[in-house]
Amino acid sequence: MTAHIPVDTNMLMNATQMGVESFLRFKECHGYYENTPNSHIVGKIGELACARWAENLGIHCDQAFRDLNRKNEADLILNLGDTRIVRIEVKTWSSDWWQTFGRCIAVRQMRQVRAKADIVIWCASTPYSDLAQRETGNVNIAGWNTPAEIARIEPTLTGRPGQDPVRNHQVPMEQVRPLDELDAWLRGEV
C-alpha cells in the first residue's frame, strides 16, 4: 500500500518557506546531493506529508524537521504512548526522478542515518515546478526500510548527466517494505 497525501496551498507555502530557510542556512555546505532551493523544498514537502500521515494514524509526532537547530535528529519522532519512540528519517524525490534516483542514502551519510533513525520512509512528490504552477499535487509515501537493511545494499554510483556521481545505497523497488506493514507495526499489531 502507498499513502497518497494531498499537497494543498498551505502545505506548499510552509514547505517553500522552510525549504528556502534550509537552503540559505546550508548553501555553503557541500551536501550529499545537489544543493538547490527546489531540493530543500521537495524534502520539506515529503516531511510535512509524513507528519500528516502519522497524524492521520492518530500518532503523536514531534516534527523535528521544522527546527534547523535539530538537524542532527531524525525528521519525525513518533511517540507511540507506551514508552516506545520511533525515529523516522524521510527521503523524498520528485516523481520525475523517483525510478532512476529514488530510494538512496549516500554512503557518506549512512553512519549519520543509522545513528539518528530507526526507519527511513521513501516518498515521491509531484515535481516542485508543477506544484508551484498549480498549487496542488500529492506525495506518495511509497514504503520504508530500516537503516540496517539499506546499509547492506551494495553501493552504486548514481547521478544526472553533467553532475558528479554519488556513491549510494539504492534500495531496489522490490525491496522497499510496504507502508501497511509499518502502519501495523506502529499500532502494535505485529
Side-chain angles (χ1 to χ4, degrees), residues 2 37 49 61 65 72 84 101 104 107 130 134-135 147 157 163 170:
T2 298
C61 177
F65 68 86
N72 292 329
R84 280 193 326 154
F101 302 121
C104 286
V107 170
D130 293 349
R134 297 189 316 235
E135 296 186 353
L157 289 175
Q163 294 180 339
Q170 185 174 33

Side-chain angles (χ1 to χ4, degrees), residues 75 89-93 98 104-105 109 113 120-124:
D75 297 318
E89 186 71 6
V90 178
K91 296 295 183 185
T92 308
W93 285 262
W98 172 249
C104 286
I105 302 285
Q109 188 183 26
V113 170
V120 176
I121 290 183
W122 309 112
C123 299

Side-chain angles (χ1 to χ4, degrees), residues 169-183:
H169 299 279
Q170 185 174 33
V171 179
M173 284 298 298
E174 63 275 5
Q175 291 182 33
V176 171
R177 289 184 180 216
L179 194 60
D180 55 349
E181 181 183 303
L182 180 58
D183 290 354

Side-chain angles (χ1 to χ4, degrees), residues 78-95:
L78 305 185
N79 181 343
L80 301 180
D82 57 0
T83 70
R84 280 193 326 154
I85 301 293
V86 177
R87 302 166 306 152
I88 296 178
E89 186 71 6
V90 178
K91 296 295 183 185
T92 308
W93 285 262
S94 166
S95 57

Side-chain angles (χ1 to χ4, degrees), residues 12 15-16 19-20 36-49 90-95 97 123-129 131 139:
L12 180 60
T16 302
V20 169
T36 66
N38 283 5
S39 64
H40 285 261
I41 293 167
V42 168
K44 294 300 178 188
I45 289 169
E47 292 161 352
L48 286 165
V90 178
K91 296 295 183 185
T92 308
W93 285 262
S94 166
S95 57
W97 300 107
C123 299
S125 171
T126 299
Y128 178 69
S129 58
L131 288 170
V139 173

